[in-house]
Amino acid sequence: MTKNCVQKLVAEFIGTFSLALAVGASLALGSDFPLMTPAVAGLTLGLFVYTIGAISGSHLNPAVTIALAVVKKIETKCAVGYLIAQFAGAYIASLVIAGLYGSTGVSVGGEGLLIAEALGAFFLIFGISAVVAGKATQSASGITIGGALFLGILLAVAAGSHGGLNPAVAVGISSISPAYFAGPVIGTIIGALAYKFIACSGCCEGK
């Protein structure tokens, strides 16, 4: 394993740990301000896009890594390493959250979770895809992706989930459910493929 590869994995570990911890802390502390957790998640992801985006791409989300692997924006071998680093970071975050707060108070039940998570993740990957495809400027990458996460969480919450949109964050806040794992993966894959189609230059001409 090369030094460059190790740096990418460490970046994903630290970033995912921080994102899961930030979301978990926001949920555990609670707030009368309904936009608190979406804002915290969006700002945290935006920060890491600017700080480690040039190193690892700042995925910080297994669903995003899987979707980008499907559209061939990351090699499968590298994607597997990213997934391990992300879940490891989230697991450590869950231990810290449990030690600090005991529980986030997030329920894993409810109907329509998979659809809600997939819907929110669809909008998240649109922002990420715009940056990856170079359709959004690098100077605005953090704002674009952080804003996409903010919007995606709001839509997912409105549709009936807690708006994790991230299997690793689900582990971090001990909200483990098939819907919180499958929903984001399904949503990001569909979104990535849809964006690849509409952003592909020359596709309409059959090139």
Side-chain angles (χ1 to χ4, degrees):
M1 185 178 292
T2 65
K3 179 181 178 180
N4 181 257
C5 184
V6 171
Q7 290 172 323
K8 290 181 178 180
L9 297 182
V10 172
E12 286 295 304
F13 174 89
I14 293 174
T16 308
F17 165 82
S18 301
L19 179 59
L21 182 61
V23 171
S26 176
L27 291 170
L29 292 174
S31 174
D32 293 329
F33 181 47
L35 301 182
M36 177 61 74
T37 299
V40 167
L43 288 171
T44 303
L45 181 58
L47 168 66
F48 278 96
V49 167
Y50 285 124
T51 54
I52 68 171
I55 300 172
S56 70
S58 191
H59 295 188
L60 314 190
N61 186 334
V64 169
T65 298
I66 291 171
L68 293 180
V70 168
V71 296
K72 303 186 184 306
K73 291 297 183 179
I74 181 174
E75 294 181 0
T76 302
K77 182 178 180 180
C78 189
V80 172
Y82 271 40
L83 296 178
I84 294 172
Q86 290 160 357
F87 278 116
Y91 177 70
I92 298 301
S94 74
L95 298 180
V96 175
I97 292 168
L100 291 174
Y101 308 108
S103 172
T104 60
V106 174
S107 171
V108 299
E111 299 180 357
L113 292 180
L114 189 146
I115 294 175
E117 288 287 298
L119 176 66
F122 179 90
F123 285 92
L124 168 62
I125 198 66
F126 251 61
I128 293 172
S129 296
V131 173
V132 172
K135 303 300 183 181
T137 62
Q138 287 300 310
S139 60
S141 59
I143 297 173
T144 302
I145 295 175
L149 177 59
F150 180 81
L151 174 61
I153 291 176
L154 289 183
L155 292 172
V157 170
S161 83
H162 67 58
L165 316 186
N166 186 330
V169 168
V171 170
I173 62 176
S174 301
S175 183
I176 300 174
S177 162
Y180 286 130
F181 280 78
V185 172
I186 293 171
T188 52
I189 289 176
I190 294 174
L193 290 173
Y195 191 90
K196 181 180 181 180
F197 174 76
I198 64 175
C200 177
S201 58
C203 288
C204 294
E205 290 74 26
K207 296 179 182 179

